Amino acid sequence: MSARAGIVVTGTEVLTGRVRDLNGPWLADRLLELGVELGHITLCGDRPADIEAQLRFLAGQGVDLIITSGGLGPTADDMTVEVVSRFCERDLVLDPGLEAKIADIVTGLMARFPGVDPDAVLAANRKQALVPSGAEILDPVGTAPGVVVAGAPTVVVLPGPPRELQPMWDAAVATDAVQRAIAGRVTYRQETIRMFGLPESGLADTLREAQTRIAGFERLEITTCLRRGELEIVTRYEPHDAAVYSELLKVLRDKHSRELFSTDGTFVDDQVATLLAGRTIATAESCTAGMVAARLTDRPGSSAYVAGGVVSYSNEAKIELLGVDAALIEAHGAVSEPVAEAMAAGALRRFGADTAVATTGIAGPGGGSEAKPVGTVCFSVALADGTFLTRTSRLPGNRSDVRERSTTVAMHLLRRALTGDR
């Protein structure tokens, strides 16, 4: 078994959702890169008893390494170092060299705040120079140093702000204490497959079949999740099981060749950006509020291929800005495949592009009908050679869900149009 680790994310602001936890997922990825198995990520507020309870829980799970984030500031609610010191049965001592280093940093920062009492600030920051006896100190990136306390388990204490935590990570890993704690690590490989247009139940059936057909299947650690309307399958395995993973990939290709669009982890957005090299694209959006254009432009160099876009909710805007025939809207309704195609064609003309994508739909919460309920969205991709690829989907969820899923559908329709997979 590989070396195991646990992560304790502290902070009442994170616990209550006011601040999103970025450190847990980031540290999880770094541990995976090291070949360290992550057993748990726990989250608690700035209460000493709760922080200590998380540390004791993880120690009880037999982890070799515990990493904490947060609670290293100068204020009274920043208690992590004190709690870790007690947990590791170490005295809390003042490090004079660290105190001087923090004072230099704080003095430089105070130049931006001339009205602040420097003595009061330095007295508050003195608390950050208190460390467990015998701990290895990680130089601060902000004002808060990190510490590494050797033991069983070894504890790494890192600050909460990601911009401070992340630069400290390599220094923490390089310490003798951490290297000893992760000495039993195993090198893993991780592969990511992405699918679109397949329900999770369909994938579950295929994986059950693969389990009966592939020798060594149980040695693959497979996790699946639905993200942005796509299925993401992440498989982790030891290098000697590469052939087992190859068999799994073959099964997925054989069963779901149309739905499987990425075997190397690339996102559809990246694939579309590559396919648009040497082309120009325009967007015409009704229900997606410019989100398709945002996805297209969220890539370096997008200005080379994105010509422009129109968000046209009203019929008048569709007519005036995209040249959609009013009679077409009258005959078929604004949410219809003929209008989607007319919007795409209008975007081609307006921006002189050779590719266009259009969306028109009912995102909700009201406005639907029995024939066209909320979640009905019509899509069309138009190419300069006169080719149209048009679809209608009925997407579940609230307004936000429908918009996000519609954007994903539009990107996949673009990919199919540009690859000729129609």
Side-chain angles (χ1 to χ4, degrees), residues 28 69 83 111 144 208 215 249 251 268 328 335 398:
S69 76
V83 174
R208 280 192 291 269
L249 182 56
V251 169
V268 67
L328 198 67
V335 179
N398 58 27

Side-chain angles (χ1 to χ4, degrees), residues 248-282:
L248 172 64
L249 182 56
K250 183 178 184 302
V251 169
L252 294 174
R253 279 178 166 150
D254 290 345
K255 292 277 290 186
H256 307 294
S257 59
R258 183 165 175 79
E259 294 83 9
L260 194 158
F261 71 90
S262 174
T263 59
D264 61 1
T266 55
F267 291 96
V268 67
D269 301 38
D270 299 306
Q271 295 180 357
V272 168
T274 299
L275 291 166
L276 285 170
R279 307 181 69 100
T280 53
I281 186 169

Side-chain angles (χ1 to χ4, degrees), residues 210 213-215 242-252:
R213 289 174 48 185
I214 300 174
V244 182
Y245 177 74
S246 294
E247 286 297 312
L248 172 64
L249 182 56
K250 183 178 184 302
V251 169
L252 294 174

Side-chain angles (χ1 to χ4, degrees), residues 96-358:
L98 182 58
E99 182 182 18
K101 185 174 294 186
I102 293 171
D104 287 342
I105 295 170
V106 172
T107 300
L109 293 173
M110 283 192 298
R112 295 154 45 191
F113 306 98
V116 174
D117 179 359
D119 292 334
V121 173
L122 289 172
N125 283 95
R126 188 171 186 266
K127 171 176 174 284
Q128 294 176 292
L130 294 168
V131 297
S133 61
E136 295 185 64
I137 297 170
L138 305 173
D139 284 341
V141 174
T143 63
V147 295
V148 178
V149 187
T154 289
V155 182
V156 176
V157 182
L158 297 173
R163 67 182 180 278
E164 297 181 24
L165 176 145
Q166 293 177 13
M168 281 189 188
W169 175 246
D170 288 340
V173 173
T175 62
D176 290 340
V178 171
Q179 287 297 309
R180 288 193 299 270
I182 65 175
R185 59 183 169 164
V186 175
T187 300
Y188 289 101
R189 291 183 184 174
Q190 180 170 290
E191 305 288 349
T192 301
I193 293 171
R194 303 186 193 281
M195 295 185 180
F196 178 73
L198 178 71
E200 287 185 278
S201 57
L203 176 62
D205 286 342
T206 301
L207 291 178
R208 280 192 291 269
E209 178 184 333
Q211 187 173 10
T212 63
R213 289 174 48 185
I214 300 174
F217 180 89
E218 70 281 356
R219 297 197 298 273
L220 303 179
E221 183 180 316
I222 303 171
T223 58
T224 65
C225 69
L226 192 64
R227 295 180 61 191
R228 302 194 309 181
E230 300 168 348
L231 274 177
E232 180 182 84
I233 306 105
V234 178
T235 305
R236 192 170 73 143
Y237 57 92
E238 294 185 37
H240 59 75
D241 288 320
V244 182
Y245 177 74
S246 294
E247 286 297 312
L248 172 64
L249 182 56
K250 183 178 184 302
V251 169
L252 294 174
R253 279 178 166 150
D254 290 345
K255 292 277 290 186
H256 307 294
S257 59
R258 183 165 175 79
E259 294 83 9
L260 194 158
F261 71 90
S262 174
T263 59
D264 61 1
T266 55
F267 291 96
V268 67
D269 301 38
D270 299 306
Q271 295 180 357
V272 168
T274 299
L275 291 166
L276 285 170
R279 307 181 69 100
T280 53
I281 186 169
T283 61
E285 303 181 61
S286 177
C287 67
T288 45
M291 292 173 65
V292 175
R295 288 270 288 268
L296 287 167
T297 55
D298 191 25
R299 291 292 178 275
S302 59
S303 58
Y305 55 80
V306 178
V310 171
V311 176
S312 54
Y313 275 91
S314 70
N315 291 343
E316 291 77 13
K318 293 179 177 65
I319 295 165
E320 294 176 14
L321 300 177
L322 294 168
V324 178
D325 189 338
L328 198 67
I329 297 175
E330 180 67 25
H332 300 280
V335 179
S336 62
E337 292 188 359
V339 169
E341 291 187 349
M343 290 170 64
L348 282 181
R349 291 191 304 270
R350 182 179 181 91
F351 295 101
D354 55 45
T355 308
V357 58

